[in-house]
Structures are given as structure tokens and as C-alpha cells.
Amino acid sequence: MKKWTSLWIVLIFLLSACSGANGEEAKKQEEEEAVEKEPKEEVVEDEKADGETAEETNEEIETKETAEEDEEVMKNAEPQYELTGNWSFKPIGDANPKVALLTIDDAPDTHAVEMAETLKEKDAPAIFFVNGHFIDTPEEKEKLKQIHEMGFAIGNHTASHASLPDLSEEEQREEIVGLNDKIEEIIGERPVFFRAPFGQNTDFSKQLAEDEGMLVMNWTYGYDWESDYQDDQALADIMVNTPLLNNGANLLMHDRDWTNKALGSIADGLREKGYELLDPALIQTP
């Protein structure tokens, strides 16, 4: 009897040991599976995040490609307007004669990007004439890129805004061609419009601009440098209601606080008077 009792005790002990071992092994297996499972879940989340990023990138690429296609269409469009001797524009053929061109000098100083955004919202084209000393830093170069990517024409307003008649021919070349090179490095294309500081051209600067494929352009009127019009309401009123506003008018404005505030009203006011805002892409250049 003792013999059988001893055997039962040994058997129960062995069964308990096996059960404990199996339990520990199952627990260990569960822990390993849990560890393996966590990274897999993270990978799935990462893949999802990457997918969303890729989707956003594709949308940005599509938008950029569409903008580039539209820009290419406009570049290849037949010119519809030509510059006259008094710096206004007249239609070629049967184009609408009642147009006005918006131009912004001394960009991109402080307000140019905001001005471009205002014009973009109103679907109002314009030329931004750039000074070289405003595109020296990475931040300033980014401003120029933003304006260009919004679809606005970029013009050359010399490197330092110096009076060209006071410079040698070599210095004039650096002011003009040097800035064209700099702008091309930033936005990938050279300007096709040139405006001399103070409207002071020389025979050499005019020939140089033509050699560079740029149209020399002054203006028909502007007011925002005069003390009486350094207020947005006064400026908006005179820019729209001046007797100098005529078909083909070439409006000169600057990157200034009061001009920035008046710009939307100026665009609206011109249209209310029946003027179409002239797209620079339709202007005949050399």
C-alpha cells in the first residue's frame, strides 16, 4: 500500500511540474508574441503616415504642374499689346483697348508677398520689379520665389537702385545683367521687363536691355511716393480717379505699407471703371 501511495505522490509531482513548465512556456510565448505584435502595429501606422505624406506631395506636384502648364500657355500666347512712346499700351489687332497695367517697384522689400497674395485673390495680374539688394538672404530669395510661383511676372529694377547716368558702362552692365543672372538662379528664368531707377535710362542701358531680351518700361503715372498720398484711402482714390487714367495706362506703385493697404481697392476701382487688368504675358517684348 505504501508503495502505491509513493508512486501516486511521484506521479502527481511530475504532472504538476509539467503543468508549471507548460504554463511558463505559454506565458513566455505570449510575451514574445506581444513584443512582436507591437512593432508591427507601429509599422502599419508609419506606413499610413507615409501614405498620407505621399498623397499630399502628389497634390502639391499636380498643383505646381498645372501652374507651370498655364504659365507655358501664356508664354506661347501671341502678343496682343505693344508699348507706345508715352509708356502706355495699345492693342495689336482687335484686342480690348481699355486696359491698365499694374506694376510694383522695389520688391520684394517688406510687403511684396502680401501684395501678391491680394492680387492673386482678385485674379489681378501685375509685374513685380525687383531690386537686387532685396534678394540677398535665403528669406528674401524665398519671398521672390513665392511671388513668382503665384504667377506674377518678375522685372529687373537694377541691383542697387543707382542712377544709371552716374555709372560707367561696366557698372551699368553689372547692375542689369548681374541682377538678371541672380534672378535666374532663384526662379529659373530671366526677366523680360526692365525699369530703370527714377526712369533714368542711358543709350547703353537701353541697348543692353534689348540685348538681354527685355522691354524697357517706365510708367504713365504714380503717386505713392508723394506725401499727400502716403495714406491708403487717398492713394486708392487718386490712382483710380486721376485724369491721367486712360486706355493702356501703366500704373507705377511701390512696396510700401500704404500701397499694400490700398492695392485691393485700386484693382477693384479700375475694374468698376471698366478697365481690364493687363496680363504682362500679352505684352510684346524684344
Side-chain angles (χ1 to χ4, degrees):
M1 186 69 179
K2 288 183 179 181
K3 181 178 178 181
W4 286 109
T5 300
S6 299
L7 287 173
W8 277 111
I9 292 171
V10 171
L11 183 60
I12 291 169
F13 175 79
L14 289 174
L15 289 172
S16 299
C18 289
S19 175
N22 289 338
E24 290 179 1
E25 185 177 348
K27 184 178 180 181
K28 183 177 180 182
Q29 185 175 355
E30 288 177 0
E31 290 176 351
E32 289 177 351
E33 288 176 354
V35 171
E36 289 177 357
K37 185 177 180 182
E38 288 177 0
K40 286 181 181 179
E41 290 176 349
E42 290 176 359
V43 169
V44 171
E45 291 175 358
D46 290 342
E47 287 175 354
K48 183 179 179 182
D50 290 341
E52 290 174 351
T53 302
E55 185 177 348
E56 292 170 359
T57 303
N58 289 337
E59 289 178 358
E60 291 173 358
I61 291 172
E62 289 175 4
T63 301
K64 186 175 181 181
E65 287 177 348
T66 301
E68 289 175 350
E69 288 172 2
D70 292 342
E71 184 178 348
E72 192 64 28
V73 169
M74 290 307 296
K75 283 181 180 178
N76 296 328
E78 287 293 325
Q80 297 182 25
Y81 296 87
E82 61 183 352
L83 190 65
T84 68
N86 67 355
W87 308 111
S88 63
F89 296 92
K90 66 179 182 180
I92 299 173
D94 58 356
N96 179 18
K98 196 168 184 178
V99 296
L101 176 69
L102 302 179
T103 69
I104 313 294
D105 280 14
D106 299 344
D109 188 3
T110 306
H111 307 283
V113 172
E114 186 177 351
M115 295 171 86
E117 289 172 345
T118 297
L119 293 173
K120 183 70 174 177
E121 289 174 2
K122 295 184 175 294
D123 194 24
I127 303 174
F128 283 78
F129 282 97
V130 171
N131 291 3
H133 56 258
F134 289 138
I135 51 173
D136 288 330
T137 67
E139 292 77 16
E140 291 170 338
K141 292 176 182 179
E142 184 59 31
K143 288 181 181 180
L144 179 58
K145 283 183 182 178
Q146 289 176 355
I147 295 169
H148 175 256
E149 288 172 358
M150 279 188 268
F152 293 99
I154 303 300
N156 182 319
H157 197 38
T158 74
S160 67
H161 204 273
S163 174
L164 295 179
D166 297 335
L167 304 180
S168 68
E169 290 186 354
E170 190 54 41
E171 288 171 329
Q172 292 180 59
R173 181 182 297 278
E174 183 56 34
E175 286 283 331
I176 298 169
V177 180
L179 179 56
N180 274 356
D181 293 341
K182 191 173 184 179
I183 290 173
E184 185 177 25
E185 288 176 2
I186 298 170
I187 66 172
E189 61 185 56
R190 300 175 80 80
V192 294
F193 301 104
F194 173 71
R195 177 173 282 162
F198 319 108
Q200 297 174 329
N201 277 289
T202 66
D203 291 339
F204 180 78
S205 71
K206 288 187 284 188
Q207 184 59 53
L208 186 58
E210 184 177 343
D211 294 342
E212 282 283 299
M214 293 189 293
L215 180 67
V216 175
M217 183 188 297
N218 281 1
W219 58 90
T220 57
Y221 71 85
Y223 294 92
D224 66 356
W225 59 90
E226 297 181 17
S227 59
D228 289 345
Y229 302 109
Q230 293 180 7
D231 168 83
D232 60 302
Q233 293 183 354
L235 180 61
D237 180 68
I238 192 65
M239 291 297 287
V240 172
N241 296 311
T242 174
L244 297 176
L245 175 60
N246 288 299
N247 290 355
N250 186 344
L251 282 62
L252 170 61
M253 293 173 283
H254 296 79
D255 183 335
R256 303 286 187 270
D257 176 63
W258 48 91
T259 311
N260 175 35
K261 292 175 181 175
L263 190 56
S265 297
I266 293 171
D268 290 342
L270 292 169
R271 283 175 166 157
E272 288 169 5
K273 283 201 162 187
Y275 284 87
E276 179 184 344
L277 300 180
L278 178 56
D279 191 327
L282 300 177
I283 297 173
Q284 187 175 60
T285 57

